[in-house]
Amino acid sequence: MQHDFWHQRWQANQIGFHLPEANPLLIKHFPSLQLQQGACVFVPLCGKTMDIHWLLSQGFKVVGAELSPIAIEDLFASLHLTPNITTVGDLVRYSSDNIDIYVGDIFKMAADQLGKVDAVYDRAALVALPKDMRQQYAAHLMALTLTTPQLLICFEYDQSIHAGPPFSVQADEVKQHYAQSYTLTLLESLEMTDGLKGKYPATEQVWLLSVDNASSARKA
């Protein structure tokens, strides 16, 4: 996707993907990551998601990446926080207690800028990118986070009836991107009651991407 597409969506407030509360699938399945309070969670292409409110309320630190400054200004306003704003390379960092959000192109973000994170929560990043960018994104995300565990949420639907975004990312593609580096566990697959965007039949899938002896052996 071109940057202008997302900037225009935020400027026009065309953000139907934004949920008014924390994602129930996050609340249900986040314990699968087995994190201690105080752990740091990376949320790529985070927008102003209420999921960040929930993560902070549970005692976690959050680092995010987002293209739109409008989204992040709204996020900090909703958190009632005044961020400290600095420039870090090609990105702009918004920081406050237990939260750092990097605004700009995620592909220009480096591992030393991100620092150590304990897990990734990807609800809106992989599915936001067209197919020709998803392989690049997955590889970049693993390089950024040193292949830290992930909780990944995807949609599956007939791409011929809706062009996306969000895009359909089927199980075979998830495996293509991540099976060489992670052990993949499908935690849940459920039919969306009202469909995608209220009209397209779809299922939502929750994946746990974990690193254990099996996946370490594959990487060796």
Side-chain angles (χ1 to χ4, degrees):
M1 308 299 290
Q2 298 296 320
H3 290 180
D4 286 349
F5 172 87
W6 291 109
H7 286 308
Q8 289 168 7
R9 291 285 292 269
W10 280 101
Q11 288 168 359
N13 200 36
Q14 295 176 344
I15 51 172
F17 49 84
H18 176 71
L19 300 178
E21 58 189 16
N23 191 317
L25 294 175
L26 166 67
I27 298 170
K28 180 178 180 180
H29 292 293
F30 194 78
S32 300
L33 289 166
Q34 298 182 342
L35 299 179
Q36 300 294 320
Q37 277 200 346
C40 185
V41 180
F42 180 48
V43 186
L45 308 191
C46 61
K48 59 178 182 178
T49 177
M50 296 298 292
D51 297 342
I52 289 178
H53 290 245
W54 184 84
L55 289 167
L56 292 171
S57 75
Q58 300 302 301
F60 298 106
K61 298 177 182 177
V62 174
V63 181
E66 168 57 40
L67 182 64
S68 171
I70 294 173
I72 301 313
E73 288 163 5
D74 286 354
L75 171 65
F76 275 87
S78 69
L79 290 167
H80 306 291
L81 296 174
T82 301
N84 180 42
I85 302 173
T86 56
T87 300
V88 181
D90 294 316
L91 306 173
V92 178
R93 182 173 62 197
Y94 288 63
S95 300
S96 191
D97 292 342
N98 296 322
I99 181 170
D100 291 283
I101 308 293
Y102 291 84
V103 176
D105 185 343
I106 192 172
F107 291 106
K108 294 183 178 179
M109 191 175 195
D112 60 348
Q113 293 173 325
L114 176 61
K116 182 183 182 299
V117 296
D118 299 296
V120 174
Y121 169 56
D122 182 346
R123 182 191 73 84
L126 187 66
V127 297
L129 300 172
K131 189 171 184 179
D132 61 354
M133 292 184 68
R134 293 197 288 265
Q135 183 65 56
Q136 178 190 4
Y137 162 78
H140 182 61
L141 183 63
M142 288 187 287
L144 271 181
T145 64
L146 305 181
T147 318
T148 200
Q150 293 191 42
L151 189 67
L152 170 66
I153 299 178
C154 295
F155 303 103
E156 282 196 13
Y157 63 91
D158 182 354
Q159 192 80 77
S160 69
I161 63 174
H162 175 59
F167 295 97
S168 177
V169 180
Q170 298 186 353
D172 285 347
E173 184 180 344
V174 174
K175 294 172 184 177
Q176 174 191 336
H177 295 322
Y178 292 121
Q180 290 300 310
S181 300
Y182 292 101
T183 295
L184 306 183
T185 304
L186 181 60
L187 299 176
E188 186 170 358
S189 180
L190 69 161
E191 184 175 348
M192 299 180 71
T193 304
D194 297 323
L196 186 72
K197 298 192 172 182
K199 52 185 176 181
Y200 305 112
T203 59
E204 204 164 7
Q205 298 189 332
V206 185
W207 293 90
L208 175 66
L209 282 57
S210 56
V211 180
D212 56 18
N213 291 336
S215 57
S216 297
R218 285 197 298 271
K219 290 187 289 180

